């Protein structure tokens, strides 16, 4: 008989399978086990973190540049280290599908991420106060950082599926027994976001 967990392990370990497909298969497993928080995490990854804080692995550092109409893109540095760190830190809230799409496009190795309204306001205020020409400031993130983030999602699903098997939770014929659900809810440690704990 087919095992839901073993099937999930196979698809998660296959680099030819897209991360959204891996997550959709993981959602079947988490939903059938009744693991609400795991399903919620999967939904955020599939649909984006619009109204929720992003996990640690979705916080990546970028570089800021100013679009000089005469000289093109130039480095944009701020003497205030705290402000510099705040505006270069990018909380990647987009869905995994939208992040995976640009990675296949022939670009210069960077993706542009918009600033939050608060970050943009701080930049504009700083530029006005310093007398700096108010050129457009953009934030670029290396595509390898996004690829690493997507790989991290895949690895978390695979690790979780392997731990389910270690606990004897396999799922046969597209379902889990009551004993499987109890074990998953009461003893299954999982490390998916920036928290560690028993989910269920």
């Amino acid at each position: 008989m087919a095992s839901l967990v073993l099937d999930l392990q196979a698809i998660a370990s296959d680099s030819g399978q897209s991360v959204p497909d891996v997550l959709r298969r993981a959602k079947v497993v988490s939903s059938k086990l009744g693991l609400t928080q795991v399903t919620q995490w999967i939904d955020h990854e599939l649909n984006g973190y619009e109204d929720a804080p992003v996990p640690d692995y979705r916080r990546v550092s970028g570089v800021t540049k100013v679009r000089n109409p005469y000289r093109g893109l130039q480095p944009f540095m701020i003497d205030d280290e705290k402000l510099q760190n705040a505006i270069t830190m990018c909380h990647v809230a987009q869905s995994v599908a939208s992040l995976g799409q640009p990675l296949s496009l022939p670009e210069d190795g960077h993706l542009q991420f918009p600033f939050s309204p608060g970050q943009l306001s701080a930049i504009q205020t700083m530029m006005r106060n310093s007398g700096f020409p108010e050129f457009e400031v953009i934030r670029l993130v290396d595509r390898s950082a996004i690829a690493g983030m997507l790989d991290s999602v895949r690895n978390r699903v695979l690790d979780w599926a392997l731990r389910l098997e270690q606990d004897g939770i396999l799922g046969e014929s597209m379902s889990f027994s009551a004993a499987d659900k109890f074990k998953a809810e009461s003893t299954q440690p999982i490390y998916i976001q920036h928290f560690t704990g028993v989910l269920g």
Side-chain angles (χ1 to χ4, degrees):
M1 291 185 183
S3 162
L4 285 169
V5 171
L6 295 182
D7 284 349
L8 177 58
Q9 291 175 10
I11 190 174
S13 59
D14 180 359
S15 60
Q17 297 285 346
S18 71
V19 174
D21 284 345
V22 171
L23 286 167
R24 282 188 282 268
R25 189 69 63 89
K27 184 174 180 177
V28 171
V29 174
S30 66
S31 296
K32 287 179 178 289
L33 284 171
L35 298 178
T36 306
Q37 290 185 17
V38 178
T39 303
Q40 184 181 53
W41 170 76
I42 293 169
D43 284 339
H44 281 315
E45 290 295 331
L46 287 171
N47 303 316
Y49 289 80
E50 290 184 10
D51 301 314
V54 301
D56 289 343
Y57 60 85
R58 275 180 167 262
R59 297 172 191 170
V60 297
S61 184
V63 295
T64 51
K65 298 204 172 187
V66 63
R67 200 183 298 280
N68 186 318
Y70 309 105
R71 300 183 180 178
L73 285 181
Q74 294 183 297
F76 179 73
M77 300 299 294
I78 299 174
D79 290 336
D80 185 333
E81 184 178 354
K82 185 176 180 181
L83 179 57
Q84 178 72 23
N85 290 337
I87 66 172
T88 55
M89 181 57 63
C90 185
H91 291 206
V92 182
Q94 290 90 336
S95 70
V96 290
S98 64
L99 290 169
Q101 187 65 27
L103 294 179
S104 61
L105 299 178
E107 299 203 9
D108 63 353
H110 290 85
L111 299 172
Q112 183 174 337
F113 281 87
F115 294 104
S116 70
Q119 289 172 328
L120 193 56
S121 176
I123 292 169
Q124 291 169 341
T125 299
M126 185 275 302
M127 293 174 84
R128 281 193 299 269
N129 292 342
S130 64
F132 193 88
E134 291 192 41
F135 296 146
E136 180 188 7
V137 180
I138 64 172
R139 178 173 53 187
L140 300 173
V141 173
D142 194 297
R143 293 195 308 155
S144 64
I146 304 302
M149 192 198 78
L150 294 173
D151 206 43
S152 181
V153 171
R154 181 191 296 275
N155 290 338
R156 278 168 166 75
V157 172
L158 178 58
D159 290 344
W160 175 56
L162 290 169
R163 281 196 293 274
L164 287 173
E165 182 187 12
Q166 289 170 1
D167 286 349
I169 302 168
L170 293 175
E172 302 292 342
S173 301
M174 292 298 288
S175 65
F176 291 94
S177 68
D180 284 343
K181 293 178 182 179
F182 177 78
K183 280 191 281 187
E185 290 175 355
S186 59
T187 66
Q188 178 59 40
I190 183 168
Y191 310 89
I192 281 187
Q193 301 197 60
H194 47 282
F195 59 81
T196 301
V198 176
L199 301 187

